[in-house]
């Protein structure tokens, strides 16, 4: 089964160390139990038990130390990292968050030329320490050009750091906080290390009310020597963007973990609840919502895992992951919100109860689209690839699934972040052409109309300045790429036709809805409106398929997973 189920996890024997990590982590959380997880969440208890467990089992050290800096089992293996992200969020986003910000904090370190700092990071990982990424500032949000943290050169060749950072996870306990700033004299960018233990490091407060510590910290004349500097100038700037390129992927896996646990819980509740002498799962609208939630979740996972394949084979000549990763970030996480909305409509009042996992999921699922660049920032990024994607495809060798054990070397030498316009993609029509299911046929027509719109009625100069208009266009484009990678992975995972067609039943409806939105934009032209209207289509109806989906795939998830209390 594609969906994670901790109760039926079996070792694959390909990577015994990783299997051991997964088993022990499941054991840790199942032993802790749902009641204690929820108590800690409500009391906002710091997750010291989890950090102690991670330290004892050397988990972050094994999974987050690149090959060459640790023992034989350590490597940066996106496959393992994706799976672990999903598992942690399955039990609680707070546990995932301390892991995620460690990944971000380590990004500029592993990308640096400063070997001593890398060795220090490996030692700290071995000792069970966590890391932090000091990028955001209170007044600037997404606008990192405006960074105010600065290093002032001293006569003896060292520097003094002054400024503050805001929203920094693990900023209360990380001995290596990768801090982004500028040189006070030249204005060039710089990444340096600050230590929360230093007296000039002021951990001001936790900004959010949660188990996690999301710090505001200030540096007051904090001494920095050349040995503390990770990178300068263009390298420092590239390290920011390249770190986020890697890190944003995990937000999608977290969303998948949350939705999977919430799905089991919602199904168990609804399938056992009797109203009017029938089970809630007998209502046709409930079946429809569960089926939608299920296929949307399967689609999220197929897409995200396929995106990991492209991240793993990336090279200076193949940077297609720069389109797929922002989509994991914005599309998978917003689909996660959709899945939770559907489930919540089914379980209604139950979703408020303090003893459920769902209550936590309903809150936490909202965070993922907003962190590490909002949905808007990511759609704006994705739009840069649209012309090459549709009109200038390139030939690439086939990319099989990339689950084997290896270090993903390229991720820490991604190089310059510019040149996005030079990235080409393989022809999306190749995989769409391999399927002739009814809803895929309808979806292909929608794609052709979108392409026609871009060709004969593309955005005017005025519309290109209108982000509101472009965002909807970007979401339509996103759907085409989303469907493409879902199909590629449906083949790899041998997903049955019913499920694939049912996924595209949702995608046809989503496409229609976005086309209507584009049609209704104040600035859309007569020609654009006509084409948008044609894009509004109804999915192919097939009651037999719908019944089979329910019987063979959806209701079968009843009682499959119940967390230990
Ligand atoms: C719980 C939590 C944990 C966090 N952890 C960390 C951390 O560990 N380290 C860290 O450095 N940061 C962290 N952050 C910061 C987070 O990544 C930022 O909040 C995020 O990047 C967005 O910034 P903002 O919320 O200030 O939105 P703003 O930047 O204020 O954006 C406001 C609006 O403008 C839009 N906008 C801005 N720029 C563009 C653009 N180019 N195109 C289109 N629209 C745009 C946005 O989409 C949004 O709608 C954390 C935040 C939270 C809430």
């Amino acid at each position: 089964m594609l969906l994670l189920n901790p109760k039926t996890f079996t070792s694959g024997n390909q990577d015994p160390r990783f299997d051991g990590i997964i088993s022990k982590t499941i054991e840790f959380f199942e032993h802790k139990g749902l009641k204690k997880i929820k108590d800690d969440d409500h009391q906002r208890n710091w997750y010291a038990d989890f950090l102690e467990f991670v330290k004892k089992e050397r988990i972050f050290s094994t999974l987050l130390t690149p090959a060459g800096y640790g023992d034989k089992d350590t490597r940066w293996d996106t496959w393992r990292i994706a799976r672990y992200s999903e598992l942690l969020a399955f039990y609680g986003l707070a546990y995932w968050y301390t892991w995620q910000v460690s990944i971000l904090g380590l990004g500029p370190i592993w990308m640096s030329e400063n070997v001593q700092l890398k060795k220090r990071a490996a030692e700290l990982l071995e000792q069970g320490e966590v890391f932090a990424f000091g990028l955001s500032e209170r007044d600037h949000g997404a606008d990192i050009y405006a960074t105010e943290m600065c290093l002032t050169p001293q006569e003896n060749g060292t520097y003094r750091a002054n400024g503050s950072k805001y929203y920094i996870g693990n900023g209360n306990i990380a001995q290596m906080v990768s801090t982004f700033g500028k040189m006070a004299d030249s204005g060039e960018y710089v990444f340096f290390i600050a230590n929360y233990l230093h007296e000039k490091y002021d951990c001001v407060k936790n900004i959010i009310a949660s188990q996690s510590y999301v710090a505001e910290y200030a540096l007051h004349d904090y001494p920095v020597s050349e040995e503390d500097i990770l990178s300068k100038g263009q390298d420092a700037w590239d390290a920011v963007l390249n770190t986020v390129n890697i890190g944003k992927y995990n937000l999608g896996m977290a969303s998948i973990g949350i939705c999977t646990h919430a799905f089991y819980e919602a199904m168990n509740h609804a399938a056992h609840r009797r109203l009017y002498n029938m089970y809630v799962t007998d209502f046709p609208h409930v079946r429809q919502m569960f089926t939608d939630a299920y296929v949307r979740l399967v689609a999220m996972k197929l897409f995200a895992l396929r995106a990991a394949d492209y991240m793993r084979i990336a090279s200076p000549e193949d940077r297609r992951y720069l389109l797929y990763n922002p989509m994991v970030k914005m599309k998978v996480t917003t689909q996660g919100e959709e899945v939770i909305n559907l489930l919540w409509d089914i379980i209604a009042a139950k979703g408020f109860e303090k003893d459920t996992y769902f209550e936590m999921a309903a809150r936490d699922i909202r965070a993922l689209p907003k962190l590490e660049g909002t949905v808007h920032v990511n759609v704006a990024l994705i739009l840069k690839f649209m012309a090459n994607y549709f009109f200038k495809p390139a030939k690439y060798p086939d990319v099989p699934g990339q689950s084997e054990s290896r270090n993903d070397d390229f991720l820490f030498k991604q190089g310059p972040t510019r040149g996005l316009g030079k990235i080409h993609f393989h022809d999306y029509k190749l995989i769409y052409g391999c399927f002739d299911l009814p809803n895929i046929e309808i979806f292909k027509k929608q794609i052709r109309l979108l392409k026609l719109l871009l060709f004969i009625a593309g955005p005017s100069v005025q519309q290109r300045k209108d982000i509101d208009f472009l965002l909807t266009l970007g979401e339509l484009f996103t759907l085409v790429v989303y469907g493409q990678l879902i199909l590629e992975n449906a083949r790899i995972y041998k997903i049955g036709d019913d499920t694939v067609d049912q996924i595209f039943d949702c995608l046809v409806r989503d496409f229609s809805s976005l086309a209507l939105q584009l049609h209704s934009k104040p600035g859309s032209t007569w020609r654009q409106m006509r084409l948008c209207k044609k894009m509004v289509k109804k999915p192919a109806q097939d009651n037999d398929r719908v019944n089979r989906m329910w019987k063979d795939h959806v209701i079968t998830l009843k009682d499959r997973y119940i967390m230990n209390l």
Side-chain angles (χ1 to χ4, degrees), residues 97 101 104 133-136 138 140-143 166-169 208 214 370-377 380 467 471:
Y97 182 69
V101 288
L104 292 171
F133 186 58
L135 175 64
S136 300
R138 178 161 56 182
H140 308 304
D143 180 10
Y166 206 71
Y167 295 124
I168 311 305
I208 63 166
V214 181
K370 294 168 187 67
L371 305 182
E372 283 180 56
T374 61
V375 170
H376 313 143
V377 171
I467 297 189
L471 286 179

Side-chain angles (χ1 to χ4, degrees), residues 29-46:
F29 284 114
E30 294 291 340
H31 179 71
K32 181 167 180 170
L34 183 58
K35 183 170 182 327
K36 179 73 175 122
I37 284 184
K38 291 306 305 278
D39 281 352
D40 281 352
D41 178 58
H42 292 144
Q43 310 298 326
R44 297 176 198 159
N45 291 335
W46 176 245

